[in-house]
Amino acid sequence: MVGGPCLRRTHRNLRRTGPLKKETLAAINEARRAGRAIVRATNLSTGEDRLIDPLTDISPLGEAAAGAARADQSGPCQIEGQNWFLAVFNPPLDLAIIGAVHVAQPLAAMAALTGFEVRIIDPRVAFASEARFPGIRLCHEWADEAFGKEPLGLRSAVVALTHDPKLDDPGLIVALRSRSFYIGALGSKKTHAGRLVRLKAQGFSDSDLARIHGPIGLDIGARSPAEIAVSIVAEITRALRGSKRNTAAPVVV
Amino acid sequence: MSQGAETDVLATAAAWIGAGRKVALGTVVKTWGSAPRQAGSQIAVRDDGAFVGSVSGGCIEGAVIEEAQSAMRDGKVRTLEFGVSDETAWSAGLACGGRIEIFVEPVH
């Protein structure tokens, strides 16, 4: 009945409270399947359990739940003298990869492990094939069309990998008009400079364009497609969570 | 559903219940100091001791699983607090010197 070497149990309190109802668990899973954010509030003294829609509940507890959902951070809170624990269940993170190129293969797998729902967008059926991307959702469309059907949101990241302006640019234009927390584009400094000139001609300001991470990925000297994928996943994670070393604030989701 | 995501825990819990098994959940509700898993991290434990998810870097899962099995038997919710206790103060210099509170609840 003891913990491992680094932590030992110091207190144990039995509560009068009831168990988690199967129906509550089913409702949480149903919200997640539907892609809706949901917050479970548990009163730590009485065991009262409430499922809160953080977008519509305007009670004080609802407001606290909305704050927790925006910050993507579960935790305790005190409302009107009662101690609650807010467990946040946000919809999955969305990674839209434009271009079913080689780097996209390890990137899709790594991002899925990191918790993203991945979609590969490429009208070239020969590239975006089930054989090359087993188990990954493939959209055989132009990126602007794909984003018209399934819009980018606060929990979206967009990565353009083709280096081909006619495939990448329409997607980047939609991404820049969205609230995606991360936009990245593969290509050398020269390629990226050309991209910025084209996008500027579309009316985007310098501060708009500064949202694009280009050349994409953290500078870790990546060479192989899998190493480049590591650098991209790391950069996306930094954009999502912030970094202790880097004072840039994390993006609030 | 994405692989490896936190939320796989609840889907697995629901699947176990659907298969007629007993299940209890453990949730990190509070941490002090350095803690390997943040508040909201969950573990689902089946009556036979199988589990998915985590509430620490592996230091307290064994104890949480035992408590989860007790919770399935007595139907009661409990909170557990883990930290460096007096008799283990010699280990206070370990990297993982934080405290952590876990809420354990059977699913009925």
Side-chain angles (χ1 to χ4, degrees):
Chain A
M1 298 291 284
V2 295
C6 65
L7 283 178
R8 284 175 192 278
R9 200 183 64 214
T10 52
H11 294 92
R12 172 169 172 269
N13 296 311
L14 288 179
R15 302 290 179 134
R16 293 175 287 117
T17 58
L20 167 62
K21 291 193 173 62
K22 269 188 230 177
E23 295 73 24
T24 306
L25 179 62
I28 294 170
N29 281 329
E30 175 54 36
R32 287 172 39 221
R33 270 193 295 275
R36 282 186 288 116
I38 194 161
V39 177
R40 179 189 175 203
T42 306
N43 186 314
L44 292 174
S45 313
T46 67
E48 183 188 348
D49 224 356
R50 288 194 210 166
L51 287 185
I52 296 175
D53 178 344
L55 296 178
T56 59
D57 190 326
I58 54 163
S59 69
L61 190 58
E63 301 275 333
R70 266 195 304 276
D72 198 21
Q73 176 71 67
S74 300
C77 76
Q78 206 176 46
I79 302 286
E80 289 156 3
Q82 298 285 308
N83 287 313
W84 295 84
F85 179 70
L86 302 175
V88 174
F89 300 96
N90 266 326
L93 294 158
D94 165 40
L95 175 62
I97 301 176
I98 302 168
V101 299
H102 195 166
V103 171
Q105 293 176 296
L107 177 60
M110 288 177 198
L113 283 171
T114 316
F116 283 83
E117 300 242 326
V118 179
R119 40 178 168 157
I120 306 257
I121 299 161
D122 198 322
R124 301 168 298 179
V125 178
F127 282 75
S129 70
E130 169 68 22
R132 282 164 46 81
F133 295 94
I136 302 286
R137 200 151 60 89
L138 303 172
C139 310
H140 295 132
E141 293 169 301
W142 296 80
D144 51 343
E145 293 167 4
F147 296 155
K149 285 183 198 160
E150 292 178 72
L152 300 167
L154 288 168
R155 290 174 64 77
S156 294
V158 181
V159 169
L161 299 180
T162 72
H163 321 85
D164 181 344
K166 79 177 179 300
L167 288 164
D168 282 351
D169 286 9
L172 289 172
I173 287 166
V174 178
L176 285 168
R177 291 181 182 139
S178 77
R179 297 179 70 193
S180 308
F181 73 87
Y182 176 90
I183 305 171
L186 190 75
S188 65
K189 284 188 180 142
K190 198 175 153 198
T191 304
H192 190 58
R195 176 183 293 133
L196 295 182
V197 170
R198 291 194 307 277
L199 291 172
K200 210 160 187 178
Q202 294 284 327
F204 290 105
S205 68
D206 287 338
S207 67
D208 291 333
L209 297 176
R211 289 176 64 199
I212 304 178
H213 294 261
I216 199 169
L218 295 187
D219 183 4
I220 54 172
R223 286 187 191 169
S224 70
E227 290 171 359
I228 294 166
V230 168
S231 77
I232 296 171
V233 170
E235 191 170 65
I236 293 172
T237 305
R238 187 172 70 176
L240 180 66
R241 305 292 187 199
S243 154
K244 283 178 190 158
R245 281 186 215 138
N246 183 337
T247 50
V251 175
V252 174
V253 178
Chain B
M1 191 190 320
S2 52
Q3 302 165 31
E6 192 62 51
T7 41
D8 284 1
V9 172
L10 293 187
T12 306
W16 283 343
I17 288 165
R21 307 300 295 256
K22 284 189 179 171
V23 173
L25 291 179
T27 305
V28 178
V29 291
K30 205 168 179 191
T31 64
W32 299 261
S34 81
R37 300 282 290 149
Q38 62 173 358
S41 301
Q42 291 192 305
I43 187 170
V45 181
R46 199 168 64 183
D47 42 21
D48 62 357
F51 67 98
V52 291
S54 68
V55 288
S56 78
C59 346
I60 60 167
E61 269 73 6
V64 172
I65 289 164
E66 279 187 43
E67 285 290 341
Q69 289 177 304
S70 302
M72 287 176 232
R73 281 193 296 273
D74 65 22
K76 290 200 173 75
V77 169
R78 54 258 278 152
T79 52
L80 311 172
E81 201 176 304
F82 295 87
V84 179
S85 58
D86 289 340
E87 70 268 30
T88 58
W90 51 269
S91 66
L94 290 174
C96 173
R99 276 198 293 150
I100 187 167
E101 186 178 316
I102 313 279
F103 186 68
V104 176
E105 55 187 340
V107 185
H108 278 207

